[in-house]
């Protein structure tokens, strides 16, 4: 029983599945049928009839017939085949031959898509033809009056074009012929070819219009203005040469004539309609003429500078030479009494050579001016460099003069310092004699003797002929250090002696109470009488500090300073 029920259910499922699949096939058939009817319902003939406003001949006639034939083939053949395919698909679905029905419907879809593409191409080509005709017509409506306007302009201003008028007339005639050819193509229905021709006409017209508008200015510049400006420039160069300006080295005359020839050649080309490089040549010549005028102006300014500054330069150099001659005489005199350092003599000889070189350059400069061959710009540069060099030499000369003047000044200062140091030694000796100390240690006398010997060496150095200030300065420094050290040690010795006396006097109050302190004070007194003040002070200070810490500082605080 279960098998029977199962079998029944399977049969029912198969029937239901078959019905569903058949329904799907029917739905696709209905959709394709509607698609087909939509195509048939499109008014393609009306779209094709739009081109009847054009001349149905030649290329347009051929295209129209091809489009019409293609549409009729779609309607009569391809859409009819689709009807049969749909009928077959329904029959196959009724017989549950779903696979074949799907293949048939796939073929139907392929045909329908192909038909859509064909219709789209037909309509696109129709639109392109109509748009091409409209654009060509509008452009030709602009081109024709433009050609007439250019022809009128050429006629009214023919004097601005010279022989090139015939060239532009020829170009306008060619455009007119091309326009006539355009109308012939339109009359023959060849609208696409007419479109290509219009494009060519427009490009040619743009070129002719630009050249026609630019030509008068370029032609006038090459034929009249630039040649006139070059003539003026050439005349100016010749006048400057006659007036004494040195412009030969610039070689402008040859360059100007080359430009004149280049302009003549350019005019010939332009009269034949060739404007190539005209703007480039004009810009080149204008730029170069500007440079030439700047160079000529620079030469004129330089000549004025040379004429004005040359006397001043000569006078300045003469004054500098005369001043150095005085210095030279002074050096020769000083060399008899003073020794010059190598560095000083090197500066002196460098100055002498530099001034001699400037004078030699001045002679060459005067020769250049008289020969009238060297340009003033170069002469000006030489003068400017000469002024700079003279200023530098003046500074070096002043420094050298100060240096040699300092030789005498240094000698006087050295003598003054020597006198001062002698006075200091005398003061030290006087100070020692006035002091109440038992005696002066030997090392102080030795320091005094050394300082005196150092002073004597300064005297000897000052007596040398020629005087060598480096040796004097060295001896002076040695003497100064010796005197200073002697004064320092003398003051220190006297301070130690006075302080020792005060410490012993202060410590005497403890002498009876502290036998050990009394013994040390006795030793300190012995050292004091033997002029050993430093040891005496150390011994006495140590003794009193042991009894009364801090006593030495209090004694020092109350000690009276030594009279210097």
């Amino acid at each position: 029983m279960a098998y029977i029920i199962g079998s029944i259910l399977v049969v029912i499922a198969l029937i239901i599945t078959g019905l569903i699949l058949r329904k799907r096939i029917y739905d696709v058939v209905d959709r394709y049928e509607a698609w087909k009817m939509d195509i048939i319902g499109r008014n393609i003939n009306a779209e094709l009839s739009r081109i009847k406003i054009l001349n149905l001949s030649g290329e347009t006639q051929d295209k129209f017939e091809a489009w019409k034939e293609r549409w009729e083939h779609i309607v009569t053949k391809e859409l009819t085949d689709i009807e049969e395919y749909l009928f077959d698909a329904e029959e196959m679905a009724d017989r549950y031959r779903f696979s074949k029905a799907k293949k048939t419907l796939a073929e139907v879809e392929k045909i329908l898509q192909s038909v859509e593409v064909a219709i789209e191409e037909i309509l696109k080509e129709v639109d392109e033809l109509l748009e091409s005709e409209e654009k060509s017509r509008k452009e030709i409506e602009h081109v024709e009056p433009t050609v007439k306007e250019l022809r009128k302009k050429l006629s009214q201003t023919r004097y601005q074009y010279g022989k090139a008028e015939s060239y532009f007339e020829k170009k306008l005639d060619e455009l007119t012929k091309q326009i006539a050819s355009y109308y012939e193509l339109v009359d023959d229905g060849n609208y696409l070819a007419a479109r290509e021709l219009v494009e060519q006409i427009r490009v040619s017209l743009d070129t002719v219009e630009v050249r026609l508008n630019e030509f008068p200015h370029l032609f006038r510049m090459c034929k009249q203005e630039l040649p006139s400006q070059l003539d003026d420039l050439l005349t100016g160069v010749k006048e400057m040469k006659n007036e004494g300006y040195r412009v030969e080295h610039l070689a402008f005359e040859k360059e100007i004539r080359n430009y004149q020839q280049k302009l003549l050649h350019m005019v010939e080309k332009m009269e034949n309609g060739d404007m190539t490089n005209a703007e480039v040549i004009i810009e080149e010549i204008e730029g170069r003429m500007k440079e030439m005028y700047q160079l000529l102006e620079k030469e004129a300014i330089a000549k004025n500078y040379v004429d004005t500054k040359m006397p001043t330069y000569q006078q300045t150099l003469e004054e500098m030479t005369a001043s150095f001659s005085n210095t030279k005489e002074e050096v020769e005199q000083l060399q008899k009494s003073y020794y010059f350092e190598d560095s000083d003599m090197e500066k002196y000889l460098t100055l002498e050579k530099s001034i001699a070189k400037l004078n030699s350059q001045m002679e060459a400069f005067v020769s250049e001016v008289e020969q009238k061959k060297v340009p003033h710009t170069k002469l000006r540069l030489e003068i400017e460099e000469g002024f700079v060099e003279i200023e530098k030499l003046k500074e070096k000369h002043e420094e050298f003069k100060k240096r040699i003047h300092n030789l005498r000044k240094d000698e006087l200062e050295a003598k003054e310092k020597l006198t001062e140091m002698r006075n200091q030694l005398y003061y030290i000796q006087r100070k020692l004699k006035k002091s109440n100390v038992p005696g002066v240690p030997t090392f102080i006398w030795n320091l005094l003797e050394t300082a005196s010997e150092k002073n004597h060496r300064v005297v000897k150095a000052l007596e040398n002929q020629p005087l060598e200030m480096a040796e004097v300065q060295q001896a002076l420094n040695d003497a100064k250090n010796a005197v200073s050290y002697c004064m320092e040690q003398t003051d220190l010795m006297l301070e130690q002696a006075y302080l020792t006396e005060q410490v012993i006097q202060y410590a005497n109050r403890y002498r009876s109470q502290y036998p050990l302190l009394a013994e040390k004070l006795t030793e300190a007194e012995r050292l004091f009488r033997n002029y050993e003040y430093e040891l005496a002070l150390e011994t006495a200070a140590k003794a009193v500090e042991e009894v009364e810490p801090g006593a030495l500082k209090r004694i020092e605080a109350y000690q009276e300073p030594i009279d210097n």
Side-chain angles (χ1 to χ4, degrees):
M1 188 65 181
Y3 290 110
I4 295 173
I5 294 172
S7 299
I8 293 171
L9 290 175
V10 170
V11 170
I12 294 171
L14 290 172
I15 292 172
I16 292 171
T17 300
L19 291 174
I20 292 172
L21 292 174
R22 187 169 63 180
K23 178 64 170 60
R24 290 178 179 176
I25 295 297
Y26 288 163
D27 290 342
V28 174
V29 169
D30 291 341
R31 180 158 56 85
Y32 286 165
E33 179 68 23
W35 189 351
K36 183 196 75 172
M37 295 307 295
D38 175 66
I39 292 173
I40 293 174
R42 296 176 191 175
N43 198 356
I44 302 302
N45 287 324
E47 293 292 327
L48 294 176
S49 66
R50 291 164 57 200
I51 68 169
K52 290 183 179 181
I53 60 174
L54 308 178
N55 294 327
L56 290 177
S57 57
E59 182 183 34
T60 304
Q61 178 68 30
D62 293 341
K63 284 183 173 293
F64 177 74
E65 290 178 356
W67 294 333
K68 189 174 182 181
E69 182 179 347
R70 179 73 179 100
W71 173 244
E72 289 178 353
H73 180 268
I74 290 171
V75 173
T76 59
K77 180 68 174 68
E78 295 181 33
L79 294 181
T80 301
D81 290 344
I82 287 174
E83 184 67 30
E84 292 179 2
Y85 282 138
L86 292 176
F87 181 75
D88 291 342
E90 286 182 339
E91 283 189 347
M92 292 173 187
D94 291 340
R95 296 175 183 177
Y96 296 97
R97 299 169 66 183
F98 300 119
S99 178
K100 288 187 175 182
K102 287 181 180 180
K103 289 182 180 179
T104 301
L105 292 176
E107 185 66 25
V108 170
E109 183 175 7
K110 183 177 179 182
I111 294 172
L112 286 171
Q113 288 177 347
S114 174
V115 168
E116 288 287 5
V117 171
I119 293 172
E120 185 178 350
E121 289 178 353
I122 291 171
L123 296 178
K124 182 179 179 182
E125 290 177 2
V126 170
D127 289 338
E128 286 178 351
L129 181 60
L130 292 172
E131 289 176 5
S132 176
E133 185 278 332
E134 183 180 4
K135 287 182 179 179
S136 299
R137 177 166 38 81
K138 288 182 178 180
E139 288 190 14
I140 211 68
E141 288 174 359
H142 169 72
V143 166
E144 281 189 290
T146 302
V147 172
K148 291 179 181 179
E149 186 65 29
L150 292 178
R151 194 181 293 279
K152 179 181 178 182
K153 179 179 180 180
L154 180 62
S155 176
Q156 291 175 347
T157 58
R158 62 181 67 253
Y159 65 91
Q160 296 181 1
Y161 295 88
K163 294 180 182 179
E165 177 196 357
S166 59
Y167 166 80
F168 286 107
E169 284 283 2
K170 182 180 177 182
K171 288 296 181 181
L172 293 175
D173 289 342
E174 291 176 0
L175 289 172
T176 302
K177 289 179 182 178
Q178 287 180 318
I179 292 172
S181 298
Y182 161 77
Y183 284 115
E184 290 177 3
L185 290 172
V186 170
D187 291 340
D188 292 339
N190 298 325
Y191 290 99
L192 295 179
R195 177 62 187 162
E196 292 180 1
L197 181 59
V198 169
E199 288 291 336
Q200 295 176 9
I201 293 173
R202 184 177 58 78
V203 173
S204 299
L205 178 59
D206 289 343
T207 302
V208 172
E209 186 174 11
V210 170
R211 290 185 175 182
L212 197 68
N213 291 331
E214 291 180 349
F215 186 89
H217 169 70
L218 299 177
F219 188 68
R220 184 175 67 256
M221 291 295 295
C222 294
K223 188 175 178 62
Q224 299 173 0
E225 295 189 13
L226 287 181
S228 176
Q229 292 175 20
L230 289 172
D231 288 340
D232 292 342
L233 180 57
L234 185 60
T235 301
V237 172
K238 291 179 178 178
E239 289 177 353
M240 289 185 71
K241 286 175 65 177
N242 294 333
E243 292 173 5
Y245 293 95
R246 299 168 189 183
V247 295
E248 294 87 351
H249 67 288
L250 298 174
F252 283 165
E253 294 179 65
K254 181 180 179 181
E255 189 175 0
I256 290 171
R257 291 192 178 95
N258 288 337
Y259 280 133
Q260 289 173 331
Q261 290 298 319
K262 187 178 286 188
L263 287 173
L264 288 174
H265 181 62
M266 191 68 238
V267 168
E268 291 179 7
K269 288 176 62 179
M270 293 182 72
E271 287 179 340
N272 293 322
D274 186 0
M275 298 168 58
T276 307
N277 294 330
E279 288 188 40
V280 175
I281 291 175
I282 290 171
E283 289 179 3
E284 177 189 348
I285 294 176
E286 286 182 330
R288 183 55 182 153
M289 281 198 298
K290 185 177 179 181
E291 292 176 358
M292 289 179 177
Y293 275 115
Q294 289 174 345
L295 291 171
L296 291 173
E297 182 181 7
K298 188 176 180 180
E299 178 64 25
I301 294 173
K303 182 178 184 300
N304 179 66
Y305 179 88
V306 172
D307 293 343
T308 304
K309 297 292 184 180
M310 183 176 173
T312 305
Y313 178 57
Q314 287 178 308
Q315 182 180 353
T316 305
L317 182 56
E318 289 172 0
E319 291 173 354
M320 177 69 192
T321 304
S323 177
F324 183 75
S325 295
N326 295 333
T327 302
K328 186 175 181 180
E329 293 177 1
E330 188 176 359
V331 168
E332 290 174 354
Q333 291 297 323
L334 287 173
Q335 281 181 317
K336 297 176 182 178
S337 303
Y338 295 93
Y339 172 80
F340 280 76
E341 297 288 337
D342 291 343
S343 59
D344 291 332
M345 288 305 299
E346 184 178 352
K347 291 176 182 177
Y348 169 74
L349 293 174
T350 301
L351 275 171
E352 187 176 31
K353 289 179 182 178
S354 299
I355 293 173
K357 182 180 178 182
L358 277 178
N359 280 288
S360 177
Q361 289 177 346
M362 173 56 73
E363 293 177 4
F365 181 80
V366 172
S367 176
E368 290 175 344
V369 172
E370 292 175 351
Q371 291 176 4
K372 299 181 179 180
K373 292 181 179 180
V374 179
H376 287 96
T377 48
K378 183 175 181 298
L379 295 175
R380 173 176 180 164
L381 183 61
E382 290 179 8
I383 291 179
E384 289 175 340
E385 290 176 349
F387 274 124
V388 172
E389 185 63 23
I390 287 176
E391 287 302 315
K392 290 180 180 178
L393 290 177
K394 279 183 178 180
E395 292 179 4
K396 292 179 180 178
H397 187 206
E398 288 300 320
E399 289 177 3
F400 182 75
K401 287 198 296 184
K402 288 180 181 179
R403 177 65 179 163
I404 61 176
H405 290 162
N406 285 339
L407 287 174
R408 291 175 175 173
K409 182 180 176 182
D410 291 346
E411 180 186 7
L412 293 175
E413 289 180 352
K415 289 180 178 180
E416 290 177 0
K417 190 66 180 175
L418 178 61
T419 302
E420 180 183 345
M421 289 189 297
R422 283 175 171 174
N423 290 335
Q424 288 175 339
L425 291 178
Y426 171 74
Y427 177 77
I428 292 172
Q429 292 173 349
R430 182 168 166 268
K431 190 174 185 180
L432 290 172
K433 289 178 180 179
K434 288 173 62 178
S435 67
N436 294 321
V437 296
V440 177
T442 304
F443 79 93
I444 295 294
W445 295 120
N446 291 338
L447 290 176
L448 279 168
E449 185 178 354
T450 300
S452 296
E453 289 176 0
K454 299 285 187 183
N455 282 352
H456 186 65
R457 289 180 186 176
V458 175
V459 173
K460 286 290 185 181
L462 288 169
E463 290 175 351
N464 288 335
Q465 292 294 330
L467 181 63
E468 188 173 346
M469 285 308 301
E471 182 182 346
V472 172
Q473 291 293 344
Q474 181 62 46
L476 192 64
N477 287 332
D478 291 344
K480 181 180 176 182
N481 292 334
V483 171
S484 296
Y485 185 69
C486 183
M487 290 180 66
E488 178 184 333
Q489 291 301 312
T490 299
D491 289 340
L492 178 61
M493 181 270 295
L494 292 176
E495 287 178 2
Q496 289 173 343
Y498 295 150
L499 185 57
T500 301
E501 284 184 332
Q502 293 182 27
V503 170
I504 291 173
Q505 290 175 5
Y506 185 87
N508 281 335
R509 68 184 66 181
Y510 299 111
R511 186 186 287 266
S512 59
Q513 299 176 19
Y514 299 97
L516 185 60
L517 179 141
E519 184 180 343
K520 290 182 178 179
L521 287 179
T522 300
E523 176 63 16
E525 289 171 349
R526 185 188 68 78
L527 292 171
F528 183 79
R529 286 191 295 271
N530 290 331
Y531 319 148
E532 297 181 22
Y533 304 115
E534 184 176 359
L535 289 175
L537 176 61
E538 182 180 346
T539 303
K542 184 177 181 181
V544 77
E545 283 291 322
E546 290 177 354
V547 175
E548 184 183 339
L552 182 61
K553 287 186 178 180
R554 287 191 289 274
I555 296 170
E556 288 177 341
Y558 289 102
Q559 183 181 2
E560 295 181 0
I562 298 174
D563 183 17
N564 289 323

